[in-house]
Amino acid sequence: MKIDIGMADIIRTSPMIAIFLASLIPLTSKLFNNNKEPSNLITLIEGIGGLIVGLVLLAVFGGSGETAFNKVLVFDSISFWMGIIAISSAGTAIIMMYENPATNGNQFSELVFLALNSVVGMLILVSALDLLTVFIGLELMSLSLYLMIGMSHEEKLSKEASFKYFVLGSFASAIFLYGTSFIYGTTGSTNVGLLMQDAMGLVQTNRLFLFGISLVILGFCFKISIAPFHAWTPDVYQGAPTPHTAFMATAVKVVSFAALLRVVATKSLAASDGLFMVLQWLAVITMLVGNLGAIVQTNLKRMLAYSSIAHSGYILVGVITAGVSDAGFFGASSVVFYLFSYCVMTLGTFAIVSILEKSDDDIITIDNLKGLAHKKPIHAFCFSLFLISLAGLPPALGFFGKFYLFNAAIGEGLIWLAIWGVINSVISVFYYLKPIVLMYMTEGESDIAGHSLNATTVTVLASAAFIAVLGVLSGPLFSAVEKSFIN
């Protein structure tokens, strides 16, 4: 296939190009300085500067609905909003990496290089309109993450987490590619835009195409921790340095759901009752596994990992709704809004965990939080706000995220799915309120570090402010997202 590359293509992909060029600066500086590691602060400024330039370019040139490189990439509302969320989450995670003892050592320039290239992979993933381009974005993002986790100062858990993530991630990629080969074999194309014209008919008449699209969705289920393909998540989240865990729980989850949203937009779900029903039950099982698993955890990071699995189930409800709706705008908008609120809550939560860790291999249990409200009242208050929002209690931002998701499901007649979502939200209140009770109502000296991490503390305060303010302004924000889809 001949692809003509013009100036318009370069301009539309300028956010990716800018971030990639910025990723080279720390390594080039190290190379020309006799392999001496540059100041971590300068490396941080270079990395954050590159992300800010990419964010500005995305705000200027993104969201137009135009394509690039012969319709291999598309720059629509999904790529615009998901790109903004991914870059913002990555910037926050890099700031946490700068201050965390497990990630701010002698290889910080390499770490920032990998993080920025992972963001480039994410931007490719959210814009990809071809399944092979989706695969390239997935692998660029994932390979960078495997290396980042393995580079931690902590010797055992992080290496184990990196190996598990690599093996299971490769397995998921192989399933995705296997499904793509069936789709190409039956249609002669891997372009999602072309598949949208024929997918509904092919799903009903061609079993090989149905098998292929099912495997592609299955590959995504591994990436976004959908049960029963979730088993890697608690181990990897616990073993990875906390800033990396925050990076995976937010930016990686956002872009993976964005790519899945583009696949289900082919209306394959609407044409296959079996596939439609299987995905609905997977959403229910994921919510139950995540919430029931979180209840029995004593390790704080593992509890948050299971919580992340439960949230994947909630988001999958919105994705299914967008996939079967005739218009799909409300369902897709609810997914974007929920992912935005989820990222703010999760980044704040893991920033608190990063502050509480004594060393790079410290394990914080929920009991360690006893009496935290007396020792660190501001941190305890912000942590409580994040947990209340994650539980979906009003008037926090998380409540409105779930409200829009479940409302979209009810609008498409998926009332039973919305009821399961509400039931699971009630279950989750138990383990989200437990740390709050321990912090405020239990005697004890919290056995945590509580050291001063200035930038990470700013992240905590900013996240808390976003949750409080955007909870009030959720209506206008959701309307802005929905309007961008309609236009």
Side-chain angles (χ1 to χ4, degrees):
M1 180 176 65
K2 182 182 178 183
I3 298 179
D4 296 322
I5 300 176
M7 184 53 68
D9 298 322
I10 302 298
I11 291 174
R12 288 166 198 154
T13 54
S14 56
M16 306 172 198
I17 296 171
I19 294 173
F20 172 71
L21 293 176
S23 75
L24 298 177
I25 295 175
L27 286 186
T28 307
S29 172
K30 186 174 182 177
L31 179 66
F32 283 100
N33 197 22
N34 294 324
N35 205 34
K36 183 181 178 183
E37 184 71 21
S39 162
N40 284 357
L41 179 60
I42 294 175
T43 302
L44 174 69
I45 293 172
E46 291 167 348
I48 295 297
L51 290 177
I52 291 174
V53 172
L55 192 65
V56 171
L57 291 171
L58 181 63
V60 173
F61 300 115
S64 61
E66 296 171 321
T67 60
F69 303 124
N70 201 20
K71 298 183 179 179
V72 169
L73 298 173
V74 63
F75 302 93
D76 55 6
S77 297
I78 292 178
S79 63
F80 176 75
W81 288 105
M82 300 296 193
I84 285 179
I85 296 172
I87 293 175
S88 304
S89 301
T92 307
I94 289 175
I95 291 173
M96 291 167 61
M97 291 174 200
Y98 168 70
E99 293 191 319
N100 190 284
T103 51
N104 67 350
N106 294 327
Q107 293 180 301
F108 191 65
S109 57
E110 284 90 342
L111 189 60
V112 170
F113 168 79
L114 292 170
L116 293 191
N117 276 281
S118 182
V119 175
V120 174
M122 292 174 186
L123 293 181
I124 293 174
L125 188 56
V126 298
S127 304
L129 200 57
D130 189 282
L131 292 176
L132 293 179
T133 314
V134 169
F135 177 73
I136 292 171
L138 269 176
E139 290 307 292
L140 180 56
M141 174 185 75
S142 301
L143 288 173
S144 300
L145 278 169
Y146 304 148
L147 293 171
M148 287 169 63
I149 296 171
M151 283 171 59
S152 166
H153 300 173
E154 196 280 319
E155 289 297 327
K156 185 180 177 183
L157 283 179
S158 65
K159 273 57 177 179
E160 182 182 326
S162 176
F163 184 71
K164 284 181 180 176
Y165 196 26
F166 170 71
V167 171
L168 293 175
S170 302
F171 185 57
S173 298
I175 292 175
F176 177 88
L177 271 185
Y178 194 45
T180 302
S181 68
F182 275 94
I183 292 174
Y184 181 75
T186 52
T187 65
S189 174
T190 54
N191 189 286
V192 177
L194 296 176
L195 292 177
M196 291 181 74
Q197 301 171 10
D198 306 317
M200 288 188 70
L202 284 170
V203 165
Q204 293 173 327
T205 59
N206 193 317
R207 292 184 181 276
L208 287 180
F209 180 83
L210 176 60
F211 186 62
I213 200 78
S214 301
L215 287 180
V216 166
I217 293 175
L218 189 64
F220 278 115
C221 287
F222 272 96
K223 296 289 183 183
I224 57 180
S225 306
I226 296 298
F229 315 109
H230 66 288
W232 62 272
T233 310
D235 291 343
V236 174
Y237 276 28
Q238 179 189 353
T242 300
H244 296 353
T245 308
F247 192 41
M248 287 188 289
T250 55
V252 173
K253 191 183 285 278
V254 165
V255 298
S256 300
F257 267 109
L260 177 60
L261 194 60
R262 213 177 282 288
V263 171
V264 300
T266 59
K267 303 299 178 190
S268 301
L269 299 186
S272 171
D273 292 338
L275 186 57
F276 179 44
M277 188 53 70
V278 167
L279 269 188
Q280 288 182 78
W281 276 109
L282 286 182
V284 173
I285 293 169
T286 302
M287 288 186 278
L288 286 171
V289 167
N291 286 318
L292 296 178
I295 288 176
V296 298
Q297 300 303 316
T298 56
N299 182 307
L300 184 58
K301 282 180 75 175
R302 287 187 75 86
M303 187 202 84
L304 294 173
Y306 275 99
S307 158
S308 172
I309 293 169
H311 283 275
S312 290
Y314 300 137
I315 301 167
L316 186 58
V317 172
V319 172
I320 293 170
T321 304
V324 298
S325 171
D326 290 334
F329 301 129
F330 191 81
S333 303
S334 67
V335 171
V336 171
F337 184 87
Y338 193 85
L339 284 170
F340 172 74
S341 60
Y342 170 76
C343 283
V344 176
M345 299 180 288
T346 304
L347 283 171
T349 304
F350 281 109
I352 289 282
V353 175
S354 185
I355 291 173
L356 300 184
E357 288 176 335
K358 296 176 184 172
S359 61
D360 51 4
D361 58 351
D362 190 25
I363 295 176
I364 297 178
T365 66
I366 297 174
D367 285 339
N368 290 144
L369 300 173
K370 288 180 179 177
L372 182 65
H374 300 292
K375 191 173 183 178
K376 292 281 182 183
I378 296 178
H379 293 86
F381 174 77
C382 292
F383 194 35
S384 302
L385 186 60
F386 299 142
L387 294 174
I388 288 172
S389 190
L390 283 167
L393 297 178
L397 184 60
F399 166 77
F400 294 101
K402 286 183 179 176
F403 172 79
Y404 289 122
L405 270 186
F406 300 153
N407 199 23
I410 292 171
E412 294 301 325
L414 304 175
I415 298 173
W416 78 281
L417 205 52
I419 292 174
W420 273 112
V422 173
I423 291 172
N424 275 277
S425 296
V426 173
I427 295 173
S428 72
V429 171
F430 175 79
Y431 65 84
Y432 281 130
L433 291 187
K434 185 177 179 181
I436 299 175
V437 171
L438 291 176
M439 287 189 292
Y440 283 94
M441 302 179 186
T442 306
E443 294 290 335
E445 286 294 325
S446 54
D447 184 22
I448 46 87
H451 42 224
S452 177
L453 300 179
N454 296 331
T456 307
T457 301
V458 171
T459 300
V460 170
L461 296 175
S463 300
F466 267 117
I467 289 173
V469 174
L470 293 180
V472 178
L473 300 176
S474 59
L477 179 61
F478 183 83
S479 298
V481 174
E482 189 178 26
K483 187 178 178 182
S484 70
F485 276 92
I486 295 173
N487 293 335

